[in-house]
Amino acid sequence: MANKQFDVVVIGGGPGGYVAAIRAAQLGLSTACIESEAYADPKGEVRLGGTCLNVGCIPSKALLQSSELYEQASHSFVMHGISTSGVKMDVATMMKRKDNIVGQLTSGIKGLFKKNKVTLLPGHGKFVGREDERWRIDVSGETVEATHVIVATGSKARHLPGIPVDNKLICDNVGALSFDSTPKRLGVIGAGVIGLELGSVWKRLGSEVTILEALPDFLGAADQAVSKEAWKVFTQKQGLNIQLGIKIIKVETGKKGVTVEYESGDETRTLQCDRLIVSVGRVPHTAGLGAENVGLELRPSGYINVDQNCRTNLPNVWAVGDVVPGPMLAHKSMEEGVMVAECIAGQKGHVNLDTVPWVIYTHPEIAWVGKTEQQLKNEGVEYRAGQIPFAANGRALGQGDTTGFVKMIACAKTDRILGVHVIGNNASELIAEAVVAMEFNASSEDIARICHAHPTLSEAMHEASLAVDKRALHF
Ligand code: FAD
Ligand code: NAI
């Protein structure tokens, strides 16, 4: 029987892959997407959506929301005159809600595939070779042929030697999103994005949370003003025990749970916890892809080598998302997926890595785009910065949540916005204005001239732009 043939075959059905497939099909290309059985629904059928929908962005945000509501009901309602007593969290219901959201979204992508006529090929995709200018790909025993291949095989959690992840007592993101009860004592290795988000979830639900971080600085990628404020809120107000500059010596499991031995300065310390989350970054996933069969070039770090349009070293083979260098973020993966599909269809696509926003969904949320003040100092760029606290914002006061600020940094010579950093309620939504502004090379004066609705948190962005020119009106 003749092999199935497609214009485009995408390997991997995460945000990079499924979006690339949909866009390619929209552009009239016959398209298939191969997704392995890594994630399956209760009927055992392949689930699309990759890390993001199954064990990443979506489930973590569902748990963050539930735990935040519990925290508010327990501690914040009282300031509005609402008294509560006996507030309880049923972890099983919280998890079921999370699972339902995941199920709804992942099956929604199958619906989008049907609507756009993308063929889903369940199985493991592996390069076999190339004949007659067509790539041959094995999908769990069946060969398909493609003129173009988009590799979107994503990433997996980095594990540490000597720390065996069983996803019961010692968990990476997969187990950490499915605890069956609130651990009394939770240990976390790594004070990065996952450590802070999931550490926050369980802290709000009553765990004693200790986060052990190797680096001496807290949240080094964020603007220092933001990381300083975040440190204060997380450690002093919320009681997260974050220890910096540590070195893990040994991790053991036993009847008492997990014992972590670590060095802190000259001391050796022991952390006893009921569960441990290991969140020390992610690594690109190319295992079993057959890269060696076709000479697909990988970097020593394991990422697939690509140019600015996500072309690999092989003709008509592209790679997008976490498997290529750049921020490991779902929206960056999707942008690359769209760009590649459009390039294949003969259009021009682009992804501007300089305006990819970062968001950490703790409370307060942290969001930024562009350069930090310390980066600009290191690069010797002259800048002006304006910073406005939410304490000076009427909407924030009304909401009873005035933590944090908006900081805008603009070029001293041209006034072009170089970076915007927000810590506070709804930072994830507020940052969008800054991303638009930076994508269109706007100046702080441009934002200053835009009418912002009153009373809104977005007025803090407006005031920050005025503060760049030392003419804030309400601070
Ligand atoms: P993935 O989502 O990893 O998808 C790759 C897919 O390819 C998988 O489904 C895998 O099964 C499949 N696959 C791999 N190899 C093969 C093969 N050979 N054959 C067939 N299929 C294969 N990002 C954000 O932007 N916002 C967030 O809030 C956020 N939260 C996160 C929370 C957590 C806990 C984690 C772990 C990550 C989070 N991320 C977040 C990161 C985000 O999940 C990733 O950046 C995103 O999923 C990357 O998309 P991708 O398509 O490149 O890869
Ligand atoms: P991360 O890179 O954000 O943080 C890892 C932390 O672990 C770093 O601070 C690092 O210094 C520390 N670390 C590394 N080795 C260590 C060791 N041996 N001992 C102690 N600490 C050590 O990685 P994380 O949190 O695992 O998340 C992975 C990625 O997933 C993120 O970088 C991000 O790309 C994505 N993600 C995005 C989210 C979002 O957008 N809101 C949420 C969660 C994850």
Side-chain angles (χ1 to χ4, degrees):
M1 204 170 71
N3 295 327
K4 286 182 190 155
Q5 295 187 348
F6 298 92
D7 295 328
V8 179
V9 166
V10 183
I11 308 179
Y18 82 72
V19 165
I22 290 173
R23 186 71 190 119
Q26 282 176 347
L27 290 163
L29 300 159
S30 64
T31 305
C33 179
I34 307 172
E35 172 55 52
S36 73
E37 281 89 9
Y39 310 108
D41 68 15
K43 287 190 224 143
E45 284 181 16
V46 163
R47 264 187 164 158
L48 290 161
T51 305
C52 170
L53 265 63
N54 292 285
V55 288
C57 326
I58 296 300
S60 58
K61 266 80 253 180
L63 299 185
L64 279 155
Q65 182 65 21
S66 299
S67 60
E68 179 57 22
L69 288 177
Y70 175 77
E71 163 78 20
Q72 285 182 10
S74 307
H75 300 112
S76 307
F77 282 10
V78 66
M79 75 169 138
H80 299 275
I82 307 168
S83 48
T84 53
S85 63
V87 177
K88 282 195 194 131
M89 169 54 84
D90 175 17
V91 172
T93 305
M94 174 177 82
M95 289 296 172
K96 198 165 163 225
R97 172 182 174 272
K98 178 236 1 167
D99 292 339
N100 286 342
I101 295 168
V102 169
Q104 199 177 323
L105 286 176
T106 51
S107 59
I109 297 174
K110 276 194 183 160
L112 291 173
F113 271 18
K114 272 200 190 116
K115 181 180 159 200
N116 289 285
K117 301 194 172 48
V118 174
T119 305
L120 170 60
L121 301 172
H124 183 93
K126 182 177 180 178
F127 280 104
V128 180
R130 193 169 194 236
E131 269 174 42
D132 302 329
E133 308 218 329
R134 281 182 191 284
W135 291 102
R136 294 163 76 90
I137 297 156
D138 175 80
V139 188
S140 298
E142 189 193 346
T143 304
V144 296
E145 295 181 21
T147 311
H148 290 266
V149 180
I150 305 174
V151 181
T153 48
S155 64
K156 55 183 185 169
R158 185 164 83 87
H159 291 174
L160 293 171
I163 307 186
V165 169
D166 58 9
N167 274 325
K168 289 193 178 83
L169 285 183
I170 304 181
C171 300
D172 59 20
N173 59 300
V174 177
L177 290 162
S178 291
F179 287 177
D180 54 4
S181 59
T182 303
K184 190 165 172 303
R185 298 158 306 175
L186 173 67
V188 180
I189 304 183
V193 200
I194 295 180
L196 291 173
E197 288 188 356
L198 295 184
S200 295
V201 166
W202 297 106
K203 176 73 198 160
R204 291 168 191 165
L205 299 185
S207 297
E208 264 169 48
V209 179
T210 305
I211 307 183
L212 303 174
E213 166 60 46
L215 292 177
D217 296 320
F218 178 61
L219 272 185
D223 189 271
Q224 268 166 14
V226 169
S227 39
K228 222 168 124 189
E229 176 77 2
W231 175 262
K232 208 170 65 191
V233 179
F234 296 153
T235 60
Q236 291 168 19
K237 284 199 189 151
Q238 298 179 358
L240 282 174
N241 177 2
I242 307 175
Q243 303 194 21
L244 302 175
I246 63 88
K247 187 170 177 226
I248 304 290
I249 303 171
K250 200 165 65 184
V251 174
E252 279 176 346
T253 53
K255 279 193 187 138
K256 283 193 203 158
V258 188
T259 310
V260 183
E261 207 175 283
Y262 64 98
E263 258 172 41
S264 176
D266 296 336
E267 270 182 59
T268 300
R269 294 185 186 168
T270 303
L271 170 70
Q272 196 65 52
C273 50
D274 304 302
R275 276 185 161 137
L276 180 72
I277 298 177
V278 181
S279 48
V280 293
R282 295 182 64 82
V283 287
H285 179 62
T286 51
L289 179 65
E292 63 292 349
N293 295 342
V294 288
L296 179 64
E297 201 175 278
L298 306 185
R299 294 190 179 184
S301 50
Y303 291 101
I304 297 177
N305 212 6
V306 286
D307 70 7
Q308 75 280 9
N309 285 119
C310 291
R311 283 189 182 85
T312 70
N313 65 310
L314 301 175
N316 293 353
V317 177
W318 313 70
V320 300
D322 279 10
V323 79
V324 305
M328 286 178 150
L329 296 173
H331 40 284
K332 175 262 193 185
S333 306
M334 294 192 233
E335 287 292 298
E336 288 179 341
V338 169
M339 169 180 73
V340 164
E342 292 181 352
C343 287
I344 290 173
Q347 299 183 359
K348 275 195 183 137
H350 97 296
V351 174
N352 183 0
L353 291 181
D354 294 339
T355 55
V356 172
W358 272 90
V359 179
I360 307 177
Y361 296 82
T362 43
H363 193 93
E365 291 182 345
I366 295 170
W368 72 88
V369 56
K371 301 262 169 124
T372 61
E373 197 167 339
Q374 59 267 25
Q375 278 173 327
L376 294 169
K377 271 191 190 139
N378 289 341
E379 290 168 15
V381 177
E382 285 180 42
Y383 61 86
R384 296 183 303 160
Q387 187 171 316
I388 294 294
F390 283 111
N393 178 279
R395 187 74 195 279
L397 272 166
Q399 291 176 336
D401 195 347
T402 55
T403 308
F405 54 80
V406 176
K407 173 173 174 178
M408 185 176 288
I409 313 177
C411 175
K413 289 187 191 128
T414 64
D415 192 35
R416 196 165 65 85
I417 301 170
L418 302 175
V420 175
H421 305 271
V422 186
I423 176 166
N425 190 12
N426 268 319
S428 54
E429 304 293 340
L430 292 174
I431 203 66
E433 179 179 10
V435 176
V436 173
M438 287 187 62
E439 188 62 37
F440 288 92
N441 283 319
S443 62
S444 79
E445 182 62 22
D446 290 327
I447 300 288
R449 286 173 185 274
I450 292 172
C451 179
H452 289 69
H454 175 76
T456 58
L457 298 176
S458 73
E459 286 176 293
M461 185 72 73
H462 186 230
E463 289 281 333
S465 72
L466 293 170
V468 168
D469 198 28
K470 298 203 177 0
R471 57 185 171 106
L473 294 165
H474 296 89
F475 183 65

